[in-house]
Amino acid sequence: MSHEQKYPTPKEFLIDLPLYETITFEDEELEDGRKLFYFDETLDTYCPKCNQHSIFSRHWRGTHTTSSRADSWVNVGRFVVELKCSRNPSHILFFLFTAQGQTIQKIGQLPSIASLNLFDVKKYSKVLEQKYFKELTKSIGLAAHGVGVGSFVYLRRIFEFLIEEAHRKAEASATWDESSYIKARMNEKIQILSSELPHFLVENKSMYSILSKGIHELSENECLAAFPVIKLGIEIILDDKLEKMRRAKKLEEAQKAISALASTI
Ligand SMILES: [Zn+2]
C-alpha cells in the first residue's frame, strides 16, 4: 500500500487481500472500516460464472439499515459481504469477515482469491517463461491461503528474473558500470535500469527495498502485506511487455499490408 493510503480500499479488501491478514484501524480511521462493513459501491472484477469481467454490487439479504457512525462496525464479530453480478444476480461473490475490537480480518470467501485473480494473469503466459508463469499462479494460490513467506519467495524470484532480463539488455551499453550494479540494493538497481523498466516502477522504487531484506528477517504478515505491491510491480513489467508485443505485431501487419498494396500498384 502507498503512503497516502494507509488501509486497503474496500475493493482491495474484498478482491486482493489474502485471507487471515489482520488490519487494525486507528481511532481516526474507523470510517475506512465502515466503508467495507456497509460496502455499497459497484466493483469491476472477474465473474467465474460468466467467465469474464463484470460489474458487481452489494447483495443484501433481507432488510438492512446503514449507520453513519464511523465505529458502528467495531467489535461486531462475524459479518458477511455478498456481491451480485449485474449480468445475473445468482452469480454471488461471498466474503466472510470478523471484526474484533478495531481489527478486521477476512476469514473466508467463495470463489477463492486464486480463482478471482488467476483470470487476470492468464494473459501473462505469453510474455513470461513457462517456469515463472507457473510460479506466479502458485504464488497467488499460496497467498490466497494466507501462506506469506512461501508466496513471497516465488514472487521475489519472478521479480528478480524480470530485473535480470532488464540488466542483460542494459549491460550491452558502452557506459554500463557492472561493479556498482552488483553492489546496489534492489531499489537502486531499479533506478540504474530506469531506461529498461516501466516508468511507474522507477517512480515507486522505494516500495521494492523490502526485496533486499533476507527472508528470515520478514514475518508472515510482512510478506502478506508486501505481496500486492510486488505482484503489481510484476504485472506492470509484464503489461509493458504485452504492449510492446502488441505494437510490434501491429507494425508487422502494417508492413505486410503496405508491401501487398505496393505490389498491386
Ligand atoms: Zn456473472
Side-chain angles (χ1 to χ4, degrees):
M1 265 119 268
S2 65
H3 327 285
E4 308 84 56
Q5 186 206 318
K6 197 167 167 194
Y7 300 105
T9 64
K11 181 181 177 186
E12 287 164 345
F13 229 124
L14 293 162
I15 305 300
D16 304 319
L17 201 72
L19 289 181
Y20 312 122
E21 196 184 328
T22 56
I23 305 286
T24 301
F25 294 86
E26 309 291 336
D27 290 347
E28 59 274 20
E29 313 290 353
L30 292 178
E31 177 60 20
D32 285 330
R34 198 191 74 86
K35 280 186 194 146
L36 172 71
F37 187 71
Y38 288 116
F39 180 76
D40 216 2
E41 297 157 47
T42 55
L43 185 152
D44 182 347
T45 195
Y46 172 62
C47 177
K49 295 248 169 77
C50 292
N51 195 29
Q52 59 180 299
H53 267 247
S54 184
I55 304 291
F56 285 83
S57 61
R58 183 76 182 249
H59 176 55
W60 297 98
R61 292 188 189 262
T63 54
H64 76 282
T65 51
T66 303
S67 167
S68 56
R69 288 187 45 173
D71 68 351
S72 48
W73 58 271
V74 171
N75 232 355
V76 293
R78 288 180 192 169
F79 67 93
V80 165
V81 175
E82 284 184 290
L83 304 177
K84 58 174 187 287
C85 170
S86 58
R87 283 202 196 90
N88 181 337
S90 76
H91 299 171
I92 298 283
L93 307 180
F94 175 93
F95 305 90
L96 179 62
F97 293 90
T98 179
Q100 281 168 326
Q102 294 181 191
T103 300
I104 296 183
Q105 191 180 23
K106 184 164 69 174
I107 56 173
Q109 72 174 84
L110 202 67
S112 70
I113 299 181
S115 55
L116 290 182
N117 283 285
L118 286 179
F119 178 81
D120 291 326
V121 302
K122 258 183 221 161
K123 58 181 183 229
Y124 298 132
S125 64
K126 282 186 223 151
V127 284
L128 187 61
E129 271 182 30
Q130 200 195 15
K131 172 188 162 196
Y132 290 105
F133 180 72
K134 272 188 185 161
E135 292 192 354
L136 181 61
T137 58
K138 212 182 274 181
S139 154
I140 291 168
L142 285 173
H145 289 93
V147 181
V149 175
S151 59
F152 190 77
V153 169
Y154 282 122
L155 274 199
R156 180 183 183 131
R157 281 205 333 206
I158 300 163
F159 194 86
E160 284 170 351
F161 166 74
L162 292 170
I163 296 297
E164 183 50 28
E165 271 193 338
H167 172 209
R168 267 181 268 142
K169 280 190 198 153
E171 67 186 353
S173 105
T175 54
W176 182 253
D177 178 1
E178 183 69 11
S179 62
S180 62
Y181 178 81
I182 286 172
K183 276 179 268 164
R185 298 168 73 84
M186 183 54 87
N187 50 340
E188 297 160 344
K189 283 183 177 165
I190 291 171
Q191 181 61 51
I192 298 172
L193 296 170
S194 59
S195 63
E196 298 294 334
L197 291 171
H199 185 63
F200 180 90
L201 202 71
V202 179
E203 288 287 289
N204 295 282
K205 58 185 178 296
S206 60
M207 286 181 186
Y208 300 95
S209 51
I210 192 165
L211 291 173
S212 300
K213 285 195 178 184
I215 282 297
H216 58 278
E217 294 174 64
L218 295 165
S219 70
E220 278 288 302
N221 269 338
E222 274 178 303
C223 287
L224 284 177
F227 184 88
V229 173
I230 310 301
K231 179 164 162 273
L232 190 66
I234 290 172
E235 287 177 357
I236 286 165
I237 298 175
L238 296 177
D239 282 338
D240 200 45
K241 283 175 180 276
L242 278 174
E243 176 56 26
K244 281 181 183 147
M245 198 176 157
R246 195 193 61 80
R247 211 179 136 68
K249 201 173 163 218
K250 199 156 195 175
L251 289 174
E252 191 191 321
E253 279 166 10
Q255 195 60 58
K256 268 189 210 152
I258 290 166
S259 311
L261 184 63
S263 67
T264 62
I265 296 172

